[in-house]
Amino acid sequence: MVHRDIKPENIMLHEGEAMVMDFGIAKAVSVASGDTLTQMGMMVGTPAYVSPEQAAGEAEIDGRSDQYSLACMLFEILTGTKAFEGSSTQAVLSKRFTDPVPSLKKADLTVPDEIDEAVTRALSKEPRERFNTSGEFAFKGTTEDIRQVGKKLDVATVLEGSVRKAGMKLRINAQLVNVADGYQLWSQRYDRDMEDVFAIQDEIAQNIVKALRVILSEDEKRAIEKVPTANVEAYECYLRGRQFFHQFQKSALEFARQMFTRAIEIDPTYALAYAGLADSCSLLYTNFDASETNLRNADTASRRALELGPELAEAHVARGHAVSLSGNQAEAEAEFETAMRLNPQLFDAAYMFGRALLAQGQLERAAEMFDRAGELRPEDYVVPGLLGGAYAGLGRTADAQRAFRRQLDAASKRLQLNPDDPRALYMGGVALARLGEGARARDWASQALAINSNDATVLYNVACIFSLSGEIEEAISMLERSVGAGFGHWSWIENDSDFEPLHSHPRYQALLARKDR
């Protein structure tokens, strides 16, 4: 199908995802019958976004025309200006044929090279010079050869593929490629019903094992064969919950809690859903709503997760997080240690353990956990900042500075693709303040506040930025607003090294006195 009218007005956000709307002038492509999409010489679509071939009223166009329109949108999103502008509709259309393809780099030097190259190629005047399909962006949006991808990831083999869903039907294409020579070790296409999704996962895993000639232990075999839930609808709710959980905003966490609750209603034995529910309640308690209800629900859900999945690392993480908030640090440590033993590659185990240790002031051990978490997820922009804060508290200034530079770099990369991410703005702002760039730090803080000035976590981190920049009164005011908005992790406030400049101030002392009320 060719949409023929891809433009901002027809892209809507629905439950956090971009959805294409209004198929009023869309047509199905029928190669076999030779049907054409429009009459020769008749242009349909919106002038600012149509492709050259669509503007010319050509009879036969395909998905590469929609790709061009999408590239026009991306150009506008990234630069704030349209790819082609003119004083009249005719002037806008003619520039597609007479003007050179616009460059993102010339409009904004901060745009990554791979993004510039991809958008420029999609804006090519000739369809044959664009990507064959809009899905052709291997390795998270780059156009690199799979062998280059493997070398960058330092792996011997790469599994790539695609999933298409239509109603309750799935089409999955998967292939295993040898990085050294690009040779395809195994490939398969699956056309199945949604109910078969878990069987497909198991089959793909088993085929990969055979292709690699790997010998699995009995525990590994059981791990592959174990299905978290037999209900596809519950599984979808769980995945949607995790998607929103990682956004770390109050509304997103509340929606994640709803999704996990719905998954449990569908499948009351779904251990992972209970773990997700417990995690959501724990984060809501510490950062947005320090109510006894959230604390109690985190405790109850984490207990149930462990009952249903005693060998599930995620269940032990959820339990460790919940009991750490109740002050039972010995039990929390035991749970986090168990989680890391069960799944050494689970990022959340090291990350949440590090946060719990940092809140207690155990800086040395916290730094060890954040270092481990950073190795598991090197692109994360939060972990380097927490690591840097722990190093700063330990007096390891050089190590702290290196960590904050990594954080700034990671946050900047995040903002290139998601400029309205308040978390990347305030975490990057903290890094800037730590690196002595106070003016830029305050600018980033202002941008975060402009996006959400009532969010307790935004206010808390802006308070960190003001504190590190020497603006003590403003920092305390922001911290007071954060607590008023629901931030209730008092041990974090007491042990956060960002607030060391505030410790002797009477207003800070008065704020801490409120925790016992």
Side-chain angles (χ1 to χ4, degrees):
M1 177 174 285
V2 183
H3 188 281
R4 301 199 293 177
D5 201 18
I6 297 295
K7 60 182 178 180
E9 293 89 337
N10 288 338
I11 307 294
M12 302 294 180
L13 283 177
H14 175 68
E15 297 183 350
E17 294 186 6
M19 310 289 285
V20 180
M21 312 294 286
D22 192 354
F23 287 74
I25 60 173
K27 289 291 181 70
V29 178
S30 180
V31 177
S33 65
D35 290 347
T36 59
L37 290 172
T38 188
Q39 295 177 355
M40 179 69 76
M42 178 181 175
M43 195 279 283
V44 294
T46 303
Y49 305 98
V50 295
S51 66
E53 62 270 26
Q54 195 172 342
E58 292 184 10
E60 296 186 13
I61 62 174
D62 56 26
R64 291 172 294 184
S65 179
D66 285 346
Q67 181 188 135
Y68 183 97
S69 301
L70 175 61
C72 288
M73 276 190 60
L74 291 174
F75 188 96
E76 187 174 350
I77 289 169
L78 292 169
T79 67
T81 60
K82 289 182 171 62
F84 299 97
E85 295 185 297
S87 57
S88 66
T89 297
Q90 192 60 40
V92 172
L93 292 174
S94 66
K95 285 190 175 184
R96 280 163 167 64
F97 304 96
T98 59
D99 287 9
V101 175
S103 169
L104 279 172
K105 274 290 187 185
K106 290 182 179 178
D108 185 352
L109 291 175
T110 66
V111 172
D113 291 339
E114 59 267 25
I115 301 296
D116 180 43
E117 292 168 5
V119 173
T120 300
R121 181 175 172 185
L123 282 172
S124 297
K125 297 180 188 300
E126 295 293 332
R128 65 177 181 273
E129 295 175 0
R130 300 172 204 150
F131 296 99
N132 290 326
T133 69
S134 294
E136 196 181 312
F137 295 103
F139 196 39
K140 295 291 186 181
T142 71
T143 56
E144 293 186 74
D145 180 85
I146 196 67
R147 285 173 287 185
Q148 295 301 317
V149 172
K151 289 176 182 177
K152 286 190 175 183
L153 294 175
D154 193 25
V155 294
T157 53
V158 172
L159 178 69
E160 63 172 349
S162 63
V163 179
R164 298 288 183 269
K165 180 184 175 186
M168 295 303 290
K169 294 290 186 181
L170 283 177
R171 169 166 288 182
I172 299 176
N173 288 287
Q175 61 178 353
L176 190 67
V177 180
N178 185 42
V179 170
D181 53 15
Y183 180 72
Q184 198 175 85
L185 299 173
W186 165 82
S187 67
Q188 184 68 48
R189 191 180 89 180
Y190 302 85
D191 291 298
R192 306 281 182 82
D193 293 328
M194 270 293 292
E195 286 74 13
D196 296 328
V197 64
F198 303 116
I200 297 172
Q201 290 178 1
D202 179 51
E203 189 173 339
I204 290 174
Q206 297 290 356
N207 282 325
I208 291 171
V209 168
K210 291 177 182 176
L212 295 178
R213 299 178 182 177
V214 173
I215 305 299
L216 298 180
S217 67
E218 290 303 314
D219 287 342
E220 288 170 331
K221 289 179 182 177
R222 284 193 294 271
I224 288 177
E225 294 167 357
K226 187 175 182 180
V227 176
T229 177
N231 190 290
V232 173
E233 186 181 356
Y235 184 54
E236 286 189 307
C237 288
Y238 172 78
L239 293 178
R240 182 61 59 85
R242 279 297 176 190
Q243 174 190 1
F244 281 92
F245 175 81
H246 289 294
Q247 293 181 20
F248 211 83
Q249 298 180 45
K250 184 178 181 181
S251 59
L253 282 172
E254 288 173 339
F255 189 78
R257 179 172 59 185
Q258 294 174 25
M259 287 293 96
F260 293 133
T261 300
R262 176 61 182 149
I264 291 167
E265 290 172 351
I266 297 169
D267 181 358
T269 65
Y270 198 172
L272 276 175
Y274 280 102
L277 177 59
D279 287 335
S280 299
C281 291
S282 291
L283 282 183
L284 282 168
Y285 174 81
T286 57
N287 292 71
F288 304 102
D289 180 12
S291 66
E292 286 299 317
T293 299
N294 276 327
L295 191 62
R296 183 170 59 254
N297 288 342
D299 179 76
T300 302
S302 62
R303 285 181 185 275
R304 184 59 177 153
L306 272 184
E307 290 171 2
L308 294 169
E311 296 302 312
L312 198 63
E314 291 86 346
H316 288 276
V317 171
R319 184 61 184 161
H321 193 186
V323 298
S324 70
L325 302 179
S326 301
N328 193 337
Q329 304 306 330
E331 182 181 351
E333 290 192 21
E335 295 293 352
F336 286 127
E337 294 283 1
T338 300
M340 290 190 294
R341 176 179 56 79
L342 289 171
N343 186 354
Q345 302 303 310
L346 183 61
F347 169 83
D348 285 348
Y351 173 66
M352 288 300 185
F353 192 12
R355 289 180 65 95
L357 291 167
L358 193 63
Q360 301 166 44
Q362 296 190 45
L363 302 183
E364 195 75 54
R365 295 183 65 198
E368 292 176 7
M369 288 301 108
F370 290 135
D371 191 51
R372 177 171 178 166
E375 291 178 355
L376 292 172
R377 193 177 292 175
E379 76 280 5
D380 189 271
Y381 60 85
V382 177
V383 168
L386 297 175
L387 178 61
Y391 282 151
L394 292 167
R396 296 170 58 177
T397 305
D399 289 333
Q401 293 291 292
R402 281 191 289 270
F404 290 126
R405 289 191 190 95
R406 289 201 303 273
Q407 180 185 32
L408 179 59
D409 181 62
S412 297
K413 289 179 179 177
R414 170 70 178 175
L415 289 168
Q416 287 172 353
L417 298 177
N418 300 273
D420 61 347
D421 184 340
R423 196 180 191 202
L425 283 166
Y426 63 65
M427 294 303 293
V430 170
L432 285 167
R434 285 284 194 174
L435 294 169
E437 297 188 46
R440 284 185 66 197
R442 290 189 293 275
D443 178 59
W444 286 34
S446 297
Q447 292 182 55
L449 286 171
I451 294 170
N452 196 341
S453 61
N454 298 313
D455 184 280
T457 305
V458 171
L459 293 166
Y460 178 94
N461 285 278
V462 169
C464 293
I465 293 170
F466 281 137
S467 175
L468 292 167
S469 301
E471 300 181 41
I472 306 303
E473 296 294 338
E474 292 84 350
I476 297 176
S477 294
M478 285 292 169
L479 192 54
E480 289 170 341
R481 286 180 59 188
S482 175
V483 171
F487 193 91
H489 205 338
W490 291 101
S491 58
W492 196 272
I493 295 175
E494 288 180 288
N495 291 298
D496 194 331
S497 59
D498 291 349
F499 292 142
E500 285 183 6
L502 312 182
H503 286 178
S504 60
H505 198 287
R507 286 176 64 193
Y508 176 79
Q509 295 295 329
L511 181 65
L512 288 182
R514 291 167 55 180
K515 71 175 182 178
D516 298 321
R517 295 178 186 175

